[in-house]
Every structure is written in C-alpha cells, then in structure tokens.
Amino acid sequence: MSGIDRVRALYADWARGDFSTTRGYLAPDVEWHQREVAIEPGVRRGHVVRGRGKETGVPLELRQVVLWTLQDGLVTRVQWFDTRAEAEAASG
C-alpha cells in the first residue's frame, strides 16, 4: 500500500468513527507538530494524542492542511498548516 493510500485509509477509518486501527498506521515515535496557535502548541511524540474544548465543548470546524511523513509504511510525523503554500514550502 502506498503512503497516500495508507493516509487515505486512516482518514476513512476516522470518518467511520473507527480509531482502533490508528496505531497500525503510526510509528511508535510518531511526531505530532501543532501550530503555535493550537490549544496545545508544540511537538508531541508517541501514540497518545488527546484534545478537547477547554471552555464549552462546542464542536469546532477547522480548515487546515496536514503534511504527513511516512517511513517504511508508517506515519512518522504529522504537521499542521494554515495554507497549502505553507505545507508545500515545508515539504521541500
């Protein structure tokens, strides 16, 4: 399965509400790079990623561009950007 197919499969699982397969797509030391304006900015490593609304718990819709880095078929890094141009610049 190609890298893009793995990321598409991951999103499809999430869209169905199936988060049980997530670990199978991620390297043990995956890096999650949150933007400085995020609720929890900075870099997190590993499989545990948590988030929730701090004040109201109201659903939030965000439009972001996500850059996925894979190595040996596993996601090793996930990085969020505000625009496609920012993600393309970061991808080299």
Side-chain angles (χ1 to χ4, degrees):
M1 180 183 291
S2 74
I4 190 70
D5 289 335
R6 290 186 69 79
V7 172
R8 285 180 177 152
L10 181 59
Y11 273 112
D13 290 347
W14 289 349
R16 287 191 308 276
D18 183 0
F19 299 92
S20 66
T21 63
T22 301
R23 281 183 180 236
Y25 294 101
L26 305 177
D29 58 348
V30 61
E31 293 182 356
W32 303 88
H33 291 252
Q34 294 280 51
R35 298 174 300 148
E36 290 304 313
V37 297
I39 292 171
E40 295 181 352
V43 178
R44 307 285 186 275
R45 289 180 180 79
H47 287 178
V48 179
V49 176
R50 295 185 182 106
R52 73 169 82 181
K54 281 187 173 180
E55 301 285 327
T56 65
V58 172
L60 177 65
E61 181 178 326
L62 298 174
R63 300 201 183 263
Q64 303 176 58
V65 179
V66 183
L67 177 60
W68 295 80
T69 304
L70 287 84
Q71 183 176 4
D72 299 324
L74 295 175
V75 177
T76 58
R77 181 176 175 158
V78 183
Q79 192 170 3
W80 283 265
F81 296 92
D82 289 322
T83 68
R84 182 179 180 132
E86 290 173 334
E88 288 175 348
S91 71

